[in-house]
Amino acid sequence: MDFLSLAMNTAKSLGADYADIRIQRSSTEMIFLRNLSLKNTSLNEIYGYGIRVFKNGAWGFAHNNVFTEDAINKTVKKALVIAKESGRVKYGNGLTLAHERGYIDSYKTPFNLDPFDVPLSEKVEMMMGTNKTMLSFAEIKRAVFMLECRKDEKLFASTLGSRLDLQTLYIEPTITATAVTETDSQSRTFSQGGQARGWEWVQSLNLADKAVQISEEAIMKVHAGSLGAEERKTLLLDPNHMALTMHESVGHPTELDRVLGWEADFAGISFATPEKIGNFQYGSKIVNFVANNKLEGGLATAGYDDEGVPNQKWYIIKDGILQEYGNTRATAPIIGLEMSRGCNRATNYFDFPINRIPNLYLEPGKELLTPQELIADTDNGIYIEGRGSFSIDQHRVNFQFGGDMFWEIKNGKKVRPLKKILYKSNNPEFWNSVDAICDDRSFQTFGVTNCGKGQPGQRGRMTHGGSLARFRNIRVGGSQ
Amino acid sequence: MITRQEMQKAADFIRNHVKADDFNFSIGGAEELFTRFAQNGITQHIAGDKINVNLNVSFENKTGEASSNNLKEDALKHLIKTAESMAKLNQPDPEFVASEPAHDLPDVDNFSRKTADLKVEKIVDDILKCVKNAEGKNAKLSGISEKRIQNSFLTTKNGFEGFDQSTSFAHSMTMKREGVETKVSRSVKDHSKFNLDELIGQLNSQFGSLKNPVQIETGKIPVILRPAAVLNWLFYLIWTYDRRTADEGHTPFTDQIGKQFFGKDFTFRSRLDDPDLEASKFDNGGIPAENIDWIENGVIKNMSADRYYARQNNLKALRPYNIIVEGGETSEAEMMRIVKRGVIVNNFWYIRPVDRKTGEWTGLTRDGVLYFEDGKIQKSLTNFRWNEILHKATKRILALGPVVQQEYYAKIPTLLIDDFNFIDVTTF
Ligand SMILES: [Zn+2]
């Protein structure tokens, strides 16, 4: 008998109300290059399985890396024993699971060139070339290239009869140039985050050109001025920067487990409580946030989540109003929902799946508008590119963000670079201040691969996106 | 879980089959139990053993590294093949350092039988006790109990061999009712030194002191930072406290080694001989742990350095393996009389660098903020955001409390700091 069937049969025979097994092989190649020194060139492969057992409204989860019938049976039993222990301190009258059916299906990230088939020598050579380009600028003292390629191969089975074969892949190249003077050190990064695409995507990025651009901008930045005390100003935020702001201020507060207080001890809770669904003005009327786990290239796109719920597309915020959350089979019923949106994901085989942010993006503006036109339409503002300092409270209300590159806009033109810029805002003021969003011609996506959440901590991934957007009357100034 | 004998056997296999000029082979084994609860019920329960097998090889100065979670001979053969073929395809590393030779390792005991023998039934009993306490206050409790046993083994081509076994138990809980939420957490290496009743008492005391939080104006104000807050900040100090990044001009510590850079009351050490604290015997490169004075009376004595940078600059390769901040004798009640008014902060949250060069950081308060005036607590406050150059804040330390064991790797005092820079408030 195959291990999937064995585990499910054992779980049923021992009296589990529900059980699933996820056999997962995760391969990660990391190459970390700093000033032509290879700080890390490694391939990590971990392979094992995790078994969830649901009994009397409580969970137990056990994992193992030994693939024998005996080990499978023991692991099922261990999960059941601790599920029964969990049942001694029940959540309410016990958890219930949203309705779902079994699926027999497979999914594979579409790509042409498997990054694991590209010879290491070719990758290192490309990275060295980029590093040398950056270091050829006299004031660039640190050049970093970090490349991560990850592949997850999963076989999933549940007592609902599901049999899933899911293979996902992503690549994340990041290059950073740091310029140093007598008194300051400032860096500039090129990254589109991780993308679920093949090596052909990396080849299309023109990293050699990007290395020149970020080196020049890092030097510009280290010599740039800053702003004085905080003032209310207009902000233009590029999609790369907004990927982070939406992650923190829309993605996390609309995870149903946070809303319910399941993360209260660590990641925090959420101001976006259930009575706000359908009536809370989260953003201005042109603000629409779409959750889309079918997004091509999206890091949460996997066919199904890690409890066998199909990937879906829905609105989190529609015409500015909070519509729905991302949720899981155990959280959805608590607010009266019948079905899960399929946001339960785990990082490695030994991780218990938790409520994760889906692929989530700001819908492009419906009226034709290019970034050039939006800049031209702005009298006095700050244009922010890329990700920098970010901090948000544990209810996801008050936040402060920096960025990677800043430009002052006067009379419709970028007039000078700036550094050390911070803005402060809060929910719901921030997304309600949006008065213009560029159209879909400039829509871009950015993958987040290091979303820390859970106890024990897991590293989650998802994709965000948008087009250049304008925010009015935001508190912005220079740092100390 | 994996035994030392099994680790040794795998090491012998590696030694006999590696063709590379040099290697560094490590195995980490762990047996873990995580019992997580939220809203007065257990929501997640994880049990299992983990293993991490790592091989780093080099041909001259070309390196390759492979890791897996499998110790079978076939898997080890695959590990060697992967690491060696990566090294052959790689380019030379100008900062390559040969593996460590044999070293005498410090005589430290990081293992507790009491922790290792802890049963899931006892952990759940204790969680039930905590939940009952919260229910008695009409409050909701969320948190986690974590039990860990770890084995680590390292051997190198050049003769290093080390084995360490450690245990830890951690318990944290956040209690919430309407607008009041607060948290306590503690971790120990020896479970018999974990006092649940005392921790519940601390939780109830913090919870009881917080009522209907109100906003006050932001600005510079004296602050009493309780140990959890101080430790949270220290993680971020340690993150940037590196000799090379300082020498290369990226941090505020450039050219400050040996100088009075922090406040004179600020002393930070790592110690092998504190029986309560874990001190892992060697790091992943095979450098044995030793007593280290990082900052003494505000003077920068040592900074972290990796093996390459240490060798290059005639320094010792160092890393913080535990955290001891020297305390004083001032009680919190006495601190409240040293300044006219101020705030008490239980913990910080979401600390991030604002400017790495100046050493400015941002963060928020968490788990309850209290306002005191004329020696007495007057009211609870909503949370603040702060932007502060933290090393400069140590120059404004007015008093230090006695050290307490906050984690199995940290002993930390309460600090009274003048003029802490609160710049914004949040709504709760
Ligand atoms: Zn996140």
Side-chain angles (χ1 to χ4, degrees):
Chain A
M1 196 189 301
D2 68 277
F3 291 135
L4 296 175
S5 303
L6 173 68
M8 294 303 91
N9 289 347
T10 304
K12 277 191 256 182
S13 70
L14 292 172
D17 297 333
Y18 167 84
D20 57 35
I21 176 170
R22 175 171 37 95
I23 301 178
Q24 183 173 342
R25 183 191 298 278
S26 304
S27 311
T28 310
E29 186 182 68
M30 281 284 296
I31 309 176
F32 178 57
L33 181 66
R34 188 178 73 202
N35 287 11
L36 308 177
S37 167
L38 289 146
K39 291 294 159 205
N40 183 1
T41 316
S42 64
L43 180 66
N44 175 266
E45 286 180 298
I46 52 173
Y47 183 41
Y49 54 91
I51 295 171
R52 290 197 309 170
V53 169
F54 191 65
K55 177 77 184 169
N56 293 331
W59 286 117
F61 176 77
H63 56 82
N64 206 332
N65 65 345
V66 181
F67 286 86
T68 61
E69 290 194 3
D70 183 49
I72 297 260
N73 285 331
K74 279 187 178 146
T75 307
V76 175
K77 278 178 200 147
K78 193 189 261 185
L80 183 70
V81 166
I82 61 172
K84 285 179 177 165
E85 282 296 318
S86 303
R88 292 206 286 129
V89 191
K90 268 208 176 85
Y91 184 95
N93 295 318
L95 294 165
T96 55
L97 301 180
H99 177 75
E100 197 45 80
R101 69 173 179 90
Y103 300 87
I104 295 174
D105 202 355
S106 63
Y107 176 83
K108 193 172 179 211
T109 301
F111 58 83
N112 292 328
L113 276 175
D114 186 333
F116 289 87
D117 290 342
V118 176
L120 177 80
S121 50
E122 193 180 317
K123 293 173 187 152
V124 171
E125 199 169 315
M126 181 266 290
M127 293 171 72
M128 284 280 189
T130 311
N131 227 277
K132 282 177 188 155
T133 301
M134 294 193 268
L135 291 169
S136 68
F137 292 81
E139 284 180 302
I140 299 298
K141 300 297 184 198
R142 179 176 284 192
V144 169
F145 195 139
M146 200 151 55
L147 177 70
E148 180 182 9
C149 308
R150 177 166 169 143
K151 188 185 274 181
D152 284 284
E153 297 157 280
K154 297 174 187 175
L155 295 172
F156 175 90
S158 77
T159 50
L160 297 176
S162 280
R163 290 290 185 281
L164 302 172
D165 180 349
L166 311 173
Q167 282 189 45
T168 55
L169 172 94
Y170 75 79
I171 312 176
E172 182 172 25
T174 309
I175 59 175
T176 301
T178 306
V180 179
T181 61
E182 277 290 299
T183 53
D184 203 3
S185 161
Q186 292 289 332
S187 65
R188 181 80 175 105
T189 293
F190 171 80
S191 164
Q192 297 199 334
Q195 301 269 345
R197 300 183 196 280
W199 188 252
E200 64 277 6
W201 168 66
V202 177
Q203 290 170 330
S204 75
L205 289 174
N206 295 321
L207 289 171
D209 293 349
K210 297 292 190 303
V212 172
Q213 186 190 340
I214 63 163
S215 300
E216 289 172 350
E217 290 183 356
I219 292 165
M220 227 185 267
K221 190 177 166 193
V222 82
H223 294 290
S226 186
L227 293 176
E230 191 176 288
E231 278 183 86
R232 294 251 174 200
K233 274 186 189 294
T234 296
L235 292 183
L236 294 185
L237 302 182
D238 90 334
N240 189 351
H241 177 87
M242 260 198 308
L244 187 61
T245 60
M246 71 180 68
H247 178 89
E248 303 292 355
S249 68
V250 181
H252 281 305
T254 57
E255 292 166 326
L256 183 52
D257 67 336
R258 285 185 71 118
V259 171
L260 295 171
W262 289 23
E263 290 284 334
D265 189 56
F266 178 58
I269 60 175
S270 173
F271 74 96
T273 40
E275 78 284 358
K276 296 188 174 82
I277 293 283
N279 60 65
F280 181 71
Q281 197 75 45
Y282 209 118
S284 64
K285 290 216 160 52
I286 58 168
V287 169
N288 292 287
F289 274 100
V290 179
N292 184 1
N293 283 341
K294 297 170 173 235
L295 179 73
E296 198 191 317
L299 297 180
T301 305
Y304 295 79
D305 74 354
D306 288 326
E307 55 181 356
V309 178
N311 283 175
Q312 298 162 50
K313 181 178 177 184
W314 69 102
Y315 276 100
I316 297 279
I317 293 169
K318 178 98 177 77
D319 302 326
I321 305 285
L322 177 64
Q323 293 294 310
E324 240 194 274
Y325 301 116
N327 58 33
T328 67
R329 288 190 68 204
T331 55
I334 297 172
I335 59 164
L337 299 172
E338 277 171 24
M339 301 288 283
S340 162
R341 283 299 190 182
C343 297
N344 218 17
R345 305 201 296 277
T347 306
N348 294 303
Y349 77 85
F350 49 73
D351 290 317
F352 186 79
I354 56 174
N355 198 152
R356 283 292 186 178
I357 303 175
N359 296 323
L360 175 79
Y361 50 84
L362 178 66
E363 259 186 355
K366 294 187 173 71
E367 285 166 32
L368 289 178
L369 182 66
T370 64
Q372 295 72 21
E373 287 164 344
L374 186 56
I375 292 168
D377 185 55
T378 303
D379 288 342
N380 184 4
I382 306 296
Y383 185 107
I384 303 182
E385 292 179 87
R387 308 174 191 181
S389 178
F390 56 102
S391 172
I392 183 162
D393 71 43
Q394 82 270 18
H395 294 192
R396 304 274 145 174
V397 177
N398 175 295
F399 48 89
Q400 175 178 291
F401 284 95
D404 193 49
M405 190 69 204
F406 314 91
W407 305 89
E408 186 164 36
I409 296 175
K410 285 264 196 254
N411 303 318
K413 289 199 173 67
K414 279 186 185 176
V415 291
R416 60 166 179 146
L418 294 169
K419 66 179 172 185
K420 304 187 182 209
I421 304 301
L422 295 172
Y423 69 88
K424 296 183 189 70
S425 190
N426 58 67
N427 270 318
E429 173 193 280
F430 185 68
W431 294 103
N432 273 291
S433 76
V434 177
D435 80 337
I437 304 170
C438 290
D439 65 55
D440 60 5
R441 288 170 296 172
S442 59
F443 181 82
Q444 285 179 285
T445 60
F446 296 86
V448 172
T449 61
N450 58 352
C451 174
K453 184 181 170 181
Q455 292 169 307
Q458 294 185 48
R459 180 184 168 205
R461 54 185 189 262
M462 63 291 296
T463 292
H464 302 300
S467 307
L468 184 71
R470 185 167 64 191
F471 297 71
R472 295 293 200 183
N473 213 22
I474 302 292
R475 292 186 290 158
V476 56
S479 62
Q480 287 184 36
Chain B
M1 96 183 260
I2 179 168
T3 62
R4 176 163 190 175
Q5 288 67 34
E6 289 168 301
M7 292 175 160
Q8 195 71 55
K9 193 173 156 226
D12 291 343
F13 185 89
I14 294 289
R15 197 171 288 283
N16 291 333
H17 291 81
V18 164
K19 294 186 198 75
D21 301 331
D22 199 355
F23 73 83
N24 190 308
F25 178 64
S26 68
I27 306 171
E31 181 189 316
E32 297 169 332
L33 178 68
F34 301 107
T35 313
R36 193 182 192 201
F37 47 101
Q39 303 288 98
N40 295 347
I42 293 174
T43 51
Q44 178 185 300
H45 211 159
I46 303 175
D49 290 4
K50 279 184 206 157
I51 183 167
N52 177 46
V53 187
N54 184 288
L55 177 66
N56 197 322
V57 302
S58 56
F59 292 96
E60 294 182 341
N61 59 350
K62 296 186 342 183
T63 65
E65 185 178 334
S67 55
S68 80
N69 64 333
N70 197 329
L71 272 185
K72 284 194 190 136
E73 282 196 358
D74 280 357
L76 293 176
K77 272 186 195 157
H78 179 67
L79 198 72
I80 294 170
K81 196 173 156 226
T82 306
E84 289 190 340
S85 57
M86 285 183 100
K88 283 176 185 162
L89 286 170
N90 214 341
Q91 295 204 18
D93 182 2
E95 298 186 2
F96 171 77
V97 189
S99 69
E100 285 298 306
H103 286 299
D104 288 334
L105 296 178
D107 184 19
V108 183
D109 188 4
N110 291 312
F111 182 81
S112 152
R113 179 47 58 194
K114 290 265 169 36
T115 307
D117 289 344
L118 190 59
K119 296 277 181 292
V120 61
E121 292 81 3
K122 164 71 176 155
I123 289 173
V124 173
D125 284 347
D126 281 355
I127 290 172
L128 194 56
K129 186 174 180 179
C130 298
V131 165
K132 289 248 151 68
N133 172 67
E135 284 172 347
K137 298 176 186 308
N138 279 321
K140 297 288 190 188
L141 196 75
S142 306
I144 188 167
S145 276
E146 309 179 39
K147 172 198 158 178
R148 258 202 198 91
I149 311 169
Q150 278 175 300
N151 279 346
S152 56
F153 176 84
L154 174 70
T155 186
T156 69
K157 170 88 176 179
N158 289 325
F160 179 90
E161 191 167 301
F163 175 77
D164 202 355
Q165 190 169 36
S166 63
T167 50
S168 65
F169 172 78
H171 182 85
S172 77
M173 45 189 173
T174 294
M175 190 148 73
K176 182 165 173 22
R177 187 182 65 211
E178 289 156 8
V180 169
E181 62 182 279
T182 193
K183 171 172 175 166
V184 292
S185 65
R186 195 63 38 88
S187 67
V188 289
K189 72 180 183 192
D190 177 357
H191 184 262
S192 66
K193 299 211 173 133
F194 173 71
N195 188 333
L196 182 67
D197 291 333
E198 192 182 292
L199 199 63
I200 292 174
Q202 187 192 338
L203 181 68
N204 289 345
S205 152
Q206 281 177 209
F207 188 78
S209 69
L210 299 167
K211 283 178 195 84
N212 309 317
V214 292
Q215 277 187 8
I216 62 164
E217 242 177 70
T218 59
K220 291 186 174 173
I221 186 167
V223 64
I224 293 174
L225 297 180
R226 285 178 170 161
V230 176
L231 180 60
N232 206 334
W233 155 34
L234 271 164
F235 291 141
Y236 292 91
L237 171 70
I238 289 169
W239 183 25
T240 54
Y241 196 70
D242 172 73
R243 179 65 189 258
R244 185 172 187 174
T245 42
D247 289 350
E248 291 177 353
H250 304 293
T251 62
F253 312 115
T254 306
D255 298 328
Q256 298 302 319
I257 320 299
K259 294 184 188 164
Q260 178 86 48
F261 188 68
F262 292 84
K264 64 175 175 36
D265 289 328
F266 189 64
T267 295
F268 159 39
R269 304 188 171 103
S270 291
R271 282 290 177 269
L272 292 169
D273 49 7
D274 190 313
D276 300 324
L277 298 186
E278 179 179 295
S280 46
K281 293 178 186 176
F282 51 90
D283 71 5
N284 57 9
I287 300 292
E290 58 179 291
N291 289 330
I292 308 163
D293 296 327
W294 298 105
I295 298 164
E296 197 169 355
N297 300 324
V299 177
I300 297 181
K301 290 286 186 187
N302 287 292
M303 299 186 86
S304 295
D306 64 21
R307 294 194 308 128
Y308 166 75
Y309 199 69
R311 185 167 299 194
Q312 210 54 12
N313 294 280
N314 248 329
L315 302 164
K316 276 185 173 173
L318 298 173
R319 68 187 164 105
Y321 51 85
N322 62 29
I323 303 169
I324 303 171
V325 173
E326 195 162 285
E329 286 167 358
T330 316
S331 70
E332 215 173 86
E334 287 164 337
M335 287 179 183
M336 282 194 275
R337 288 194 292 271
I338 292 174
V339 289
K340 164 88 176 134
R341 56 193 277 273
V343 300
I344 299 174
V345 171
N346 277 315
N347 207 345
F348 286 146
W349 170 244
Y350 226 123
I351 302 176
R352 286 292 182 280
V354 163
D355 187 337
R356 281 170 204 262
K357 182 61 196 170
T358 58
E360 183 181 351
W361 298 79
T362 190
L364 293 124
T365 62
R366 186 169 172 171
D367 303 328
V369 184
L370 297 163
Y371 177 81
F372 67 88
E373 201 171 313
D374 298 327
K376 279 202 192 94
I377 290 171
Q378 309 282 352
K379 54 192 168 191
S380 308
L381 301 179
T382 55
N383 286 294
F384 291 102
R385 172 175 297 288
W386 50 267
N387 282 1
E388 181 63 86
I389 294 177
L390 290 172
H391 61 265
K392 288 191 178 167
T394 63
K395 295 190 169 171
R396 303 193 299 269
I397 293 175
L398 300 175
L400 300 95
V403 290
V404 297
Q405 179 160 4
Q406 184 63 28
E407 302 289 351
Y408 67 91
Y409 52 83
K411 285 189 171 174
I412 307 287
T414 295
L415 300 180
L416 170 64
I417 297 179
D418 204 6
D419 283 342
F420 206 77
N421 190 30
F422 292 116
I423 49 129
D424 203 6
V425 288
T426 187
T427 50
F428 58 90

